[in-house]
Coordinates of all heavy atoms in Angstrom, one line a residue:
G1 N 0.8 -1.2 0.0 CA 0.0 0.0 0.0 C 0.9 1.2 0.0 O 2.1 1.1 0.0
S2 N 0.3 2.4 0.1 CA 1.0 3.6 0.1 C 1.5 4.0 1.5 O 0.6 4.0 2.4 CB 0.2 4.7 -0.5 OG 0.8 6.0 -0.3
P3 N 2.8 4.2 1.7 CA 3.3 4.6 3.0 C 3.1 6.0 3.3 O 3.5 6.6 4.3 CB 4.8 4.2 2.9 CG 5.1 4.4 1.5 CD 3.9 4.0 0.7
Y4 N 2.4 6.7 2.4 CA 2.2 8.2 2.5 C 0.9 8.6 3.1 O 0.6 9.8 3.3 CB 2.4 8.9 1.1 CG 3.8 8.5 0.6 CD1 3.9 7.6 -0.4 CD2 4.9 9.2 1.0 CE1 5.2 7.2 -0.9 CE2 6.2 8.9 0.5 CZ 6.3 7.9 -0.4 OH 7.5 7.6 -0.9
M5 N 0.0 7.7 3.3 CA -1.4 8.0 3.7 C -1.6 7.9 5.2 O -2.6 7.3 5.6 CB -2.3 7.1 2.9 CG -2.1 7.2 1.4 SD -3.3 6.3 0.4 CE -4.8 7.2 0.7
V6 N -0.7 8.4 5.9 CA -0.8 8.4 7.4 C -0.6 9.9 7.9 O 0.3 10.5 7.5 CB 0.3 7.5 8.0 CG1 0.2 7.6 9.5 CG2 0.2 6.1 7.5
P7 N -1.6 10.3 8.7 CA -1.4 11.7 9.2 C -0.1 11.9 10.0 O 0.4 11.0 10.6 CB -2.6 11.8 10.2 CG -3.6 10.8 9.7 CD -2.8 9.7 9.2
S8 N 0.5 13.1 9.9 CA 1.8 13.4 10.4 C 1.8 13.2 11.9 O 2.9 12.9 12.5 CB 2.2 14.8 10.0 OG 1.3 15.7 10.5
Q9 N 0.7 13.3 12.6 CA 0.7 13.2 14.1 C 1.0 11.8 14.5 O 1.3 11.5 15.7 CB -0.6 13.6 14.6 CG -1.8 12.7 14.3 CD -3.1 13.4 14.3 OE1 -3.2 14.5 13.7 NE2 -4.1 12.8 14.8
Y10 N 1.0 10.8 13.6 CA 1.3 9.4 13.9 C 2.7 9.0 13.4 O 2.9 7.9 13.1 CB 0.2 8.5 13.3 CG -1.1 8.8 13.9 CD1 -2.1 9.4 13.1 CD2 -1.4 8.4 15.2 CE1 -3.4 9.7 13.6 CE2 -2.7 8.7 15.7 CZ -3.6 9.3 14.9 OH -4.9 9.6 15.4
G11 N 3.6 10.0 13.3 CA 4.9 9.7 12.8 C 5.7 8.6 13.5 O 6.3 7.8 12.9
A12 N 5.6 8.6 14.8 CA 6.4 7.6 15.6 C 5.8 6.2 15.3 O 6.6 5.2 15.1 CB 6.3 7.9 17.1
E13 N 4.5 6.1 15.3 CA 3.9 4.8 15.0 C 4.2 4.4 13.6 O 4.4 3.2 13.3 CB 2.3 4.9 15.2 CG 1.9 5.0 16.7 CD 1.8 6.5 17.1 OE1 2.3 7.4 16.4 OE2 1.3 6.7 18.2
L14 N 4.1 5.4 12.7 CA 4.4 5.0 11.3 C 5.9 4.5 11.1 O 6.1 3.5 10.4 CB 4.2 6.3 10.4 CG 4.6 6.1 8.9 CD1 3.8 4.9 8.3 CD2 4.4 7.4 8.1
A15 N 6.8 5.2 11.8 CA 8.2 4.7 11.7 C 8.4 3.3 12.2 O 9.0 2.5 11.5 CB 9.1 5.6 12.5
A16 N 7.7 2.9 13.3 CA 7.8 1.6 13.8 C 7.1 0.6 12.8 O 7.7 -0.5 12.5 CB 7.1 1.5 15.1
L17 N 6.0 1.0 12.2 CA 5.3 0.1 11.2 C 6.2 0.0 9.9 O 6.2 -1.1 9.4 CB 4.0 0.7 10.9 CG 2.9 0.6 12.0 CD1 1.7 1.4 11.6 CD2 2.6 -0.9 12.3
L18 N 6.8 1.0 9.5 CA 7.7 1.0 8.3 C 8.8 0.0 8.6 O 9.2 -0.8 7.7 CB 8.1 2.3 7.9 CG 7.1 3.3 7.3 CD1 7.7 4.7 7.2 CD2 6.6 2.7 6.0
R19 N 9.5 0.2 9.7 CA 10.6 -0.7 10.0 C 10.2 -2.2 10.1 O 10.9 -3.1 9.5 CB 11.2 -0.3 11.4 CG 12.1 0.9 11.3 CD 12.9 1.1 12.6 NE 12.1 1.5 13.7 CZ 11.7 2.8 13.9 NH1 12.1 3.7 13.1 NH2 11.0 3.1 15.0
K20 N 9.1 -2.5 10.7 CA 8.6 -3.9 10.7 C 8.2 -4.4 9.3 O 8.5 -5.5 8.9 CB 7.3 -4.0 11.7 CG 6.8 -5.4 11.8 CD 7.9 -6.3 12.5 CE 7.3 -7.7 12.7 NZ 8.4 -8.6 13.2
S21 N 7.5 -3.5 8.5 CA 7.2 -3.9 7.2 C 8.4 -4.2 6.3 O 8.4 -5.1 5.6 CB 6.4 -2.8 6.5 OG 5.2 -2.6 7.2
I22 N 9.4 -3.3 6.5 CA 10.7 -3.6 5.7 C 11.3 -4.9 6.1 O 11.8 -5.7 5.3 CB 11.7 -2.4 6.0 CG1 11.1 -1.1 5.3 CG2 13.1 -2.7 5.5 CD1 11.8 0.2 5.7
E23 N 11.3 -5.2 7.4 CA 11.8 -6.5 7.9 C 11.0 -7.6 7.3 O 11.6 -8.6 6.8 CB 11.7 -6.5 9.4 CG 12.2 -7.8 10.0 CD 12.0 -7.9 11.5 OE1 11.4 -7.0 12.1 OE2 12.4 -9.0 12.1
V24 N 9.7 -7.6 7.4 CA 8.9 -8.7 6.9 C 9.1 -8.9 5.4 O 9.2 -10.0 4.9 CB 7.4 -8.5 7.2 CG1 6.5 -9.5 6.5 CG2 7.2 -8.6 8.8
L25 N 9.0 -7.7 4.6 CA 9.2 -7.8 3.2 C 10.6 -8.4 2.8 O 10.7 -9.2 1.9 CB 9.0 -6.4 2.5 CG 7.6 -5.9 2.5 CD1 7.6 -4.4 2.1 CD2 6.7 -6.7 1.6
G26 N 11.6 -8.0 3.6 CA 12.9 -8.6 3.4 C 13.0 -10.1 3.6 O 13.6 -10.8 2.8
H27 N 12.3 -10.5 4.6 CA 12.2 -12.0 4.8 C 11.4 -12.7 3.7 O 11.7 -13.9 3.5 CB 11.6 -12.3 6.2 CG 12.4 -11.9 7.3 ND1 12.0 -11.8 8.6 CD2 13.8 -11.6 7.4 CE1 12.9 -11.5 9.4 NE2 14.1 -11.3 8.7
M28 N 10.5 -12.0 3.1 CA 9.7 -12.6 2.0 C 10.6 -13.0 0.8 O 10.4 -14.0 0.1 CB 8.6 -11.7 1.5 CG 7.5 -11.6 2.6 SD 6.3 -10.2 2.2 CE 5.6 -10.8 0.7
I29 N 11.7 -12.1 0.6 CA 12.5 -12.4 -0.6 C 13.9 -13.0 -0.2 O 14.6 -13.4 -1.0 CB 12.7 -11.1 -1.5 CG1 13.3 -10.0 -0.7 CG2 11.4 -10.8 -2.1 CD1 13.6 -8.8 -1.5
A30 N 14.2 -12.9 1.1 CA 15.4 -13.6 1.6 C 15.0 -14.3 2.9 O 15.3 -13.8 4.0 CB 16.5 -12.5 1.9
P31 N 14.3 -15.4 2.8 CA 13.8 -16.1 4.0 C 14.8 -16.5 5.0 O 15.9 -17.1 4.6 CB 13.1 -17.3 3.4 CG 13.0 -17.1 1.9 CD 14.1 -16.1 1.6
P32 N 14.6 -16.2 6.3 CA 15.5 -16.5 7.3 C 15.4 -18.0 7.7 O 16.3 -18.6 8.4 CB 15.1 -15.6 8.5 CG 13.7 -15.4 8.3 CD 13.5 -15.4 6.8
S33 N 14.3 -18.7 7.3 CA 14.1 -20.1 7.5 C 13.2 -20.7 6.5 O 12.6 -20.0 5.7 CB 13.5 -20.3 9.0 OG 12.2 -19.8 9.0
D34 N 13.0 -22.0 6.6 CA 12.1 -22.7 5.6 C 10.6 -22.4 5.9 O 9.8 -22.8 5.2 CB 12.4 -24.2 5.7 CG 13.7 -24.6 5.1 OD1 14.2 -23.8 4.3 OD2 14.2 -25.7 5.4
D35 N 10.4 -21.7 7.1 CA 9.0 -21.4 7.4 C 8.4 -20.3 6.5 O 7.2 -20.2 6.5 CB 8.9 -21.0 8.9 CG 9.2 -22.1 9.8 OD1 9.1 -23.3 9.5 OD2 9.7 -21.8 11.0
W36 N 9.3 -19.6 5.9 CA 8.8 -18.5 5.0 C 8.6 -19.1 3.6 O 9.6 -19.3 2.9 CB 9.8 -17.4 4.9 CG 9.9 -16.6 6.2 CD1 10.5 -17.0 7.4 CD2 9.3 -15.4 6.5 NE1 10.3 -16.1 8.4 CE2 9.6 -15.1 7.9 CE3 8.5 -14.5 5.8 CZ2 9.1 -13.9 8.5 CZ3 8.1 -13.3 6.4 CH2 8.4 -13.0 7.7
A37 N 7.4 -19.2 3.1 CA 7.0 -19.9 1.9 C 6.6 -18.9 0.8 O 6.1 -19.4 -0.3 CB 6.0 -20.9 2.1

């Protein structure tokens, strides 16, 4: 989805969500284990 559609007052929450999303997406293309299908 678009990472731009979050009100600025939620910047701290957005940053945490972006970091987690980046981590999960990274695992999708470079799986850390066989559990990622």
Side-chain angles (χ1 to χ4, degrees):
S2 173
Y4 302 99
M5 302 184 74
V6 176
S8 60
Q9 68 207 44
Y10 298 106
E13 291 89 350
L14 177 58
L17 290 171
L18 289 172
R19 283 191 289 276
K20 184 62 177 177
S21 297
I22 291 165
E23 177 186 2
V24 170
L25 289 168
H27 288 166
M28 289 168 65
I29 58 174
S33 71
D34 290 338
D35 294 335
W36 289 79

